[in-house]
């Protein structure tokens, strides 16, 4: 850790998840003259990438081609992905997963020693690499352990970034709170990369970890950068009722069946059939997530789902796969089902229901990870470089972390090399201003509002207005509630006034971020008067390419987000109807 | 003394060999010599014992049987004391334990030599 | 060598008491396992003395055997036997974990290795008994 | 209707105010599907916002939520209240670690040890990415897979009395990870890791208490990794004695 001479680096990565670590390593390999720092509110190996289960997509075999991967991705995105970006993505993906293999990631293997690939929802070919069903865990630890080898990468573990530092319209670092001593410090850098992950915690029921509160999105948004395509929130069709813990799509990729309360494979009623014994790409259980989640809700409306203390659910049946296959390829699924719902999938079907999983939207970037703000870059789930469009295909996002993490790392490194050294003195002033702001806001205030109350009401409002099915009236209600909650937030009171490891203060800062992000989601959703991908409106059930084949951009104003639009880039794949 | 890096494998190998000998052979010897003979369930005559122990191969066997488990003891005893918190006395404890085992080895050699 | 730790102000450094092994059954069993070596060593010393008496003639040898008949010695030997058996059982269980055995490319499951060591123990014990009690 | 409840006896430590940790009792609702972590979250949200602890994934994979539950190191997101009925449940910070505050322990010591054992693939010559992956058969993968499952949750360190007595001990998880790379067919770094493992406070420090493997929630079996490293080290040493011109690998 740096000494008294200040906290100054050439390049600062916010976030120690897959994207952040990949960016840091890419920068370290780009030039050995750079001083690089990774700042994270949790130890890097605790980042949410660790929970990803199913796998990561890349073209690895002769029966596959870059064009098919691109086409599947674009089709899955309901044509909102930027096609030039997708082409770069599929092209660089194989190199990235092989690089990770060279760094020690224990990919599952075929008998001949090559890495194995499995089928995944929405993909036409087996192209999802996996490490049993702990892919993200193994990727994150391989990246983290590899990053330890680079002495030029300094880490700030358990530091919370609270704001971006700007000087003459250029980003020159962040202010961050060190949890261990409670001090606010400026960390100066010529380039900053936001890799802070998603924001599933704006919803009550999510596969996402507690730390996924959209901090980086909020920080960039407050600094004037647009958040792109925020209305697109992915529901995963198979979460455990109650906890929201994910049962990976790989369970269906391996051949699991979804059944309603009559034991009937209901997906065949929604145009996904015919049902077969062995999984067929893009059919039945291997349909894309948005469609499967909607089928669940319709099935529920027909009264054909189970009812439990934690709401409606259906069955994910793995019994016919047999104990051996389950233990080899889905051991974690078995462990989770046993621990959290007391069910052994070898003998009983697993109760599952749709649950918020992934944010397609994020900080708007170009193909190199650069944002509209000089010196600011973004990658990973926090960013929206536009490969996911209106619906992400499972196993594309882990690949996205690698490809665009590396790209952002390289671009930011080059930027930092060109930029002159910064002076940190006036910035120290900014940091103490930020400290004062927090003190006044949270520690001295004598408000009455509780963090937990505001959080719960926000989550409830988001679920009712921005769930799987949306319509104008409820969304307007949600927007109003969010505005009100923002006012109430100004009167928040904290019991904890200590400096050291004040997790209540962190919770308040996170809540402030989620409120910002939630508002961009609700407003962008309200403005998009069509149904596309994960965004399904009962009042506008059709896709409307004439009006909405474009990305929404949410800019911050004092009265809430202002929505603008940017055309989607179409190159070789003209929009067609999305049918499976 | 040897450095830790080279001395530890040495003592550990002796410990492991001693543990194996103790596990395989000691229970039967204990049963026969410690209980069966004293309690009169069976007897082994002095002449037979002497004749047996005088054979070179049996001597070798007895040497391994007695000396190796002493190192097994020394190693474990040393760490029992350390695990009980006597970390400040690590060197004297090690000298004492292994020293005793070495003494025992010499004694065994001497006894077997005189048979 | 003990490396002193630099303690930072503000943190609370817990101290592990010397009685830690009374905290749970596993720790206690560990202590018993380690302690078994003491009984085994003591028995071997007794055995060594017996061998020492051997060349001194039948009289000295018989006198020595006579002392072993004392109840105190019997109790000691019963205890020592219990510890020795405990040692054998734990030892074979643990070596299965430590010693990796390969058959071709595949690793033999530790359970099999443990089973094999117990079988070996049984065979060695029977042979040894037969040899000692033969006549 | 009266709600069923359960009592949690939580260790508190406020740096700068407390000289020593103390215990505070909280009563929380009892739910069959709640884990200890849910109870702590209930306390933080509804009873006392000053309680500090770490958590994130609540699915047993991020490794943040390790604490002592009734004196045993546990992931609190995987420790169900129903298994501790009728209570009270004692919840404390992981043993053997310095405590920062309440249930939060300092683990910079482990992070440094982890770096020292070089947990990354070391090659004499790196293969270019364009040449594709290193081939590795499923059996070669199985050889180290178990030891790659470590989530760095620190339960093993909390269970190891040797670490409690000797904070410099490299310890179970770091050694298991070093061993994992030594076993990987793609790795050639054994010689570089060996000095760290055989140093004063490396593998030889472990007395095979074995509790590290008992508490490990991911079946890593660090105790086996350490003993096997000892065996490898000792074999190496023996070979170098017999053949001074070079041992194995
Ligand atoms: C249960 C689950 C399973 C999944 N499975 C798959 C799968 O099989 N395949 C697939 O492709 N995708 C999967 N995904 C999606 C994928 O895992 C995520 O999109 C991806 O891991 C996000 O990585 P990231 O690096 O962008 O962010 P994260 O891994 O979330 O990392 C964010 C980092 O930012 C830091 N941070 C955040 N805010 C701050 C702040 N204010 N100050 C300092 N640091 C901060 C955090 O500490 C953390 O280190 C899954 C997601 C979930 C929830
Ligand atoms: S070895 Fe097991 S107990 Fe130890 S840190 Fe790793 S996962 Fe946790
Ligand atoms: S508990 Fe400790 S002593 Fe060794 S076997 Fe495990 S590291
Ligand atoms: S919260 Fe992640 S392991 Fe318990």
């Amino acid at each position: 850790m740096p000494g008294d001479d200040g906290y100054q680096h050439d390049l600062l990565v916010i976030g120690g998840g897959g994207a952040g670590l990949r960016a840091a390593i890419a920068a370290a390999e780009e030039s050995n003259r750079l001083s690089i720092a990774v700042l994270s509110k949790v130890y890097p190996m605790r980042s949410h990438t660790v929970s990803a289960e199913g796998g990561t997509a890349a073209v690895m075999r002769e029966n596959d081609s870059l064009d098919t991967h691109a086409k599947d991705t674009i089709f899955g995105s309901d044509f909102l992905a930027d096609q030039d970006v997708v082409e770069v993505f599929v092209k660089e993906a194989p190199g990235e997963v092989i690089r990770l293999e060279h760094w020690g990631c224990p990919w599952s293997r075929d008998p001949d020693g090559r890495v194995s690939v499995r089928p995944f929802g929405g993909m036409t070919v087996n192209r999802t690499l996996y490490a049993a069903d702990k892919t993200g865990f193994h990727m994150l630890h391989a990246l983290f352990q590899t990053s330890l080898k680079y002495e030029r990468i300094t880490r700030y573990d358990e530091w919370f970034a609270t704001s971006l530092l700007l000087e003459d319209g250029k980003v020159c670092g962040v202010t961050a709170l060190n949890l261990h001593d409670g001090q606010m410090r400026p960390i100066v850098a010529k380039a900053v990369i936001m890799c802070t992950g998603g924001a599933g915690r704006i919803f009550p029921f999510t596969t996402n970890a507690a730390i996924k509160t959209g901090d980086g999105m909020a920080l960039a948004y407050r600094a004037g950068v647009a958040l792109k395509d925020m209305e697109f929130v992915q529901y995963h069709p198979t979460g455990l009722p109650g906890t929201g813990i994910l049962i990976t799509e790989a369970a269906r990729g391996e051949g699991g069946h979804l059944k309603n309360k009559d034991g009937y494979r209901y997906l065949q009623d929604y145009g996904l059939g015919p049902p077969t014994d062995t999984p067929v790409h893009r059919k039945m259980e291997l349909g894309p997530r948005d469609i499967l989640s909607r089928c669940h809700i319709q099935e529920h409306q027909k009264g054909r789902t189970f009812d439990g203390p934690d709401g409606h659910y259906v069955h994910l049946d793995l019994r016919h796969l047999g104990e051996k296959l389950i233990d080899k390829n889905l051991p974690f699924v078995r462990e989770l089902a046993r621990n959290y719902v007391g069910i052994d999938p070898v003998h009983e079907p697993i109760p599952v229901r749709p649950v918020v999983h992934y944010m397609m939207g994020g900080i708007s970037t170009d193909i190199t990870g650069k944002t509209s703000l000089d010196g600011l870059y973004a990658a990973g789930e926090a960013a929206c470089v536009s490969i996911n469009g209106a619906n992400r295909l499972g196993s594309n996002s882990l690949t996205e972390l690698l490809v665009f993490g590396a790209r952002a790392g390289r671009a930011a490194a080059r930027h930092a090399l060109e930029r002159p050294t910064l002076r940190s003195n006036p910035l120290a002033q900014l940091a103490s201003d930020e400290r004062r702001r927090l003190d006044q806001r949270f520690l001295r205030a004598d408000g009455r509002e509780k963090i937990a109350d505001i959080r719960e009401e926000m989550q409830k409002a988001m679920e009712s207005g921005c769930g799987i099915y949306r319509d104008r009236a409820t969304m307007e209600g949600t927007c109003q509630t969010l505005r009100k909650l923002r006012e109430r937030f100004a009167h928040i009171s904290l019991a904890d006034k200590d400096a050291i490891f004040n997790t209540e203060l962190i919770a308040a800062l996170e809540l402030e971020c989620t409120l910002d992000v939630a508002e961009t989601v609700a407003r962008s959703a309200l403005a998009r008067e069509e149904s596309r991908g994960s965004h399904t409106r009962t009042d506008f059930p059709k896709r409307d390419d004439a009006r909405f084949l474009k990305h929404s951009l949410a800019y911050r104003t004092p009265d809430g987000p202002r929505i603008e639009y940017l055309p989607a880039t179409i190159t070789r794949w003209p929009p067609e109807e999305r049918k499976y | 003394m040897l450095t830790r890096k080279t001395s530890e494998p040495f003592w550990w190998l002796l410990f492991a060999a001693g543990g194996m000998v103790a596990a395989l052979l000691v229970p039967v010897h204990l049963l026969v010599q410690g209980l069966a003979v004293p309690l009169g369930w069976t007897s082994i005559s002095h002449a037979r014992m002497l004749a047996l122990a005088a054979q070179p191969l049996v001597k070798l066997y007895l040497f391994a049987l007695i000396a190796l488990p002493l190192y097994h003891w020394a190693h474990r005893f040393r760490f029992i004391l350390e695990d009980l918190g006597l970390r400040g006395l690590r060197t004297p404890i090690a000298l004492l334990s292994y020293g005793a085992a070495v003494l025992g080895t010499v004694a065994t050699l001497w006894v077997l030599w005189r048979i | 060598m003990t490396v002193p730790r630099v303690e930072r102000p503000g943190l609370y450094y817990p101290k592990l008491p010397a009685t830690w092994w009374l905290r749970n059954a596993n720790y206690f069993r560990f202590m018993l396992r380690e302690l078994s070596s003491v009984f085994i060593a003591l028995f071997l010393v007794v055995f060594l003395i017996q061998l020492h008496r051997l060349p001194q003639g039948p009289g000295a040898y018989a006198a020595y055997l006579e002392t072993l008949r004392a109840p105190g010695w019997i109790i000691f030997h019963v205890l020592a036997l219990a510890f020795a058996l405990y040692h054998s059982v734990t030892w074979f269980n643990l070596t299965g974990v430590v010693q990796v055995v390969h058959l071709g490319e595949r690793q033999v499951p530790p359970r099999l290795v443990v089973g094999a060591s117990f079988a070996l123990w049984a065979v060695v014990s029977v042979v040894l008994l037969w040899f000692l009690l033969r006549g | 209707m009266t709600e069923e409840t359960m009592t949690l006896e939580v260790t508190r430590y406020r740096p700068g105010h407390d000289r020593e940790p103390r215990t505070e009792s909280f009563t929380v609702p009892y739910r069959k599907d709640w884990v200890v972590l849910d109870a702590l979250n209930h306390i933080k949200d509804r009873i006392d916002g000053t309680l500090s602890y770490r958590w994130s994934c609540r699915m047993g994979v991020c490794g943040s939520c390790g604490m002592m539950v009734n004196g045993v190191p546990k992931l609190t997101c995987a420790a169900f209240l129903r298994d501790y009925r009728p209570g009270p449940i004692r919840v404390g910070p992981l043993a053997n670690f310095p405590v920062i505050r309440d249930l939060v322990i300092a683990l910079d010591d482990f992070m440094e040890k982890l770096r020292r054992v070089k947990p990354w693939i070391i090659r004499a010559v790196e293969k270019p990415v364009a040449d594709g992956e290193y081939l590795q058969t499923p059996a070669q993968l199985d050889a180290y897979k178990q030891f790659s499952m470590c989530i760095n949750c620190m339960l093993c360190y909390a269970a190891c009395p040797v670490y409690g007595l000797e904070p410099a001990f490299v310890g179970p998880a770091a050694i298991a990870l070093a061993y994992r790379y030594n076993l990987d067919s793609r790795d050639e770094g054994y010689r570089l890791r060996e000095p760290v493992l055989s140093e004063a406070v490396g593998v030889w420090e472990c007395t095979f208490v074995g509790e590290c493997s008992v508490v490990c929630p991911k079946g890593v079996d660090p105790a086996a990794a350490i003993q096997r490293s000892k065996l490898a080290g000792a074999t190496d040493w023996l070979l170098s004695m017999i053949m001074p011109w070079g041992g194995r690998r």
Side-chain angles (χ1 to χ4, degrees), chain A residues 14-19 39-42 47-49 51-55 159-161 195-197 207-208 212 215 246 357-358 380-381 392 395-398 401:
Chain A
I14 312 292
L39 181 145
S40 172
K41 66 179 175 180
V42 296
S47 302
H48 188 64
T49 300
S51 337
E53 299 170 17
W159 286 56
F160 188 98
C195 300
T196 48
T207 60
N208 283 198
K212 300 207 75 172
D215 308 355
L246 177 78
H357 185 53
Y358 184 85
E381 195 173 339
R392 167 184 75 112
S395 76
N396 261 354
S397 75
L398 287 176
L401 309 180

Side-chain angles (χ1 to χ4, degrees), chain C residues 34-113:
Chain C
E34 301 295 292
L35 214 58
S36 69
S37 67
V38 175
F39 285 86
I40 291 172
L42 282 177
F43 161 71
L44 291 170
V45 170
V46 173
F47 186 21
L48 190 63
I49 295 174
Q50 187 181 355
L51 290 176
H52 175 62
R53 291 271 183 271
L54 210 50
Q56 294 171 352
Y61 184 67
Y64 176 76
L65 285 187
E66 191 53 40
T67 34
L68 289 190
R69 267 190 207 121
W73 277 110
I74 297 291
I75 292 172
F76 164 76
H77 277 119
V78 168
L79 252 173
L81 180 61
F83 271 109
L85 289 173
Y86 190 61
H87 167 70
S88 299
V89 171
T90 53
W91 185 266
F92 293 127
N93 277 333
L94 293 178
T95 40
V97 169
V98 179
Q99 184 66 58
V100 187
V101 183
H102 285 278
L103 262 186
E105 257 211 335
R106 285 276 157 198
Q107 190 186 323
V108 179
R111 239 183 297 141
L112 278 185
V113 181

Side-chain angles (χ1 to χ4, degrees), chain A residues 54-66:
Chain A
T56 180
V59 173
M60 298 300 287
R61 294 291 157 83
E62 302 68 36
N63 65 348
D64 199 358
S65 73
L66 297 181

Side-chain angles (χ1 to χ4, degrees), chain A residues 470-488:
Chain A
R470 304 167 170 180
D471 63 58
R472 170 182 297 279
T474 19
M475 271 191 289
E476 275 172 351
T478 299
C479 289
Q480 270 164 22
T481 313
L482 291 176
R483 275 279 112 183
K484 267 193 228 117
L485 288 175
R486 175 171 295 286
E487 279 159 31
R488 284 174 56 191

Side-chain angles (χ1 to χ4, degrees), chain B residues 4 6 12 79 83 87 90, chain D residues 165-166 200 204-205 207 237:
Chain B
R4 188 116 198 241
T6 51
W12 186 81
F79 280 115
D83 284 350
R87 301 229 133 208
R90 298 189 75 155
Chain D
L165 294 161
E166 179 56 84
W204 304 111
E205 198 71 9
T207 54
W237 173 85

Side-chain angles (χ1 to χ4, degrees), chain A residues 163-214:
Chain A
S163 74
L164 280 167
L165 289 173
L166 297 178
E167 210 177 39
D168 309 327
K170 293 191 176 80
V171 168
C172 47
V174 299
T175 55
L177 189 67
N178 179 355
L179 263 81
H180 291 239
D181 62 9
Q183 296 303 308
M184 176 75 72
R185 294 206 175 77
I187 300 179
V188 179
K190 297 185 210 170
V192 173
I193 313 180
M194 277 294 173
C195 300
T196 48
R201 287 273 158 176
I202 58 178
F203 287 89
F205 197 66
T206 172
T207 60
N208 283 198
I211 55 173
K212 300 207 75 172
T213 46

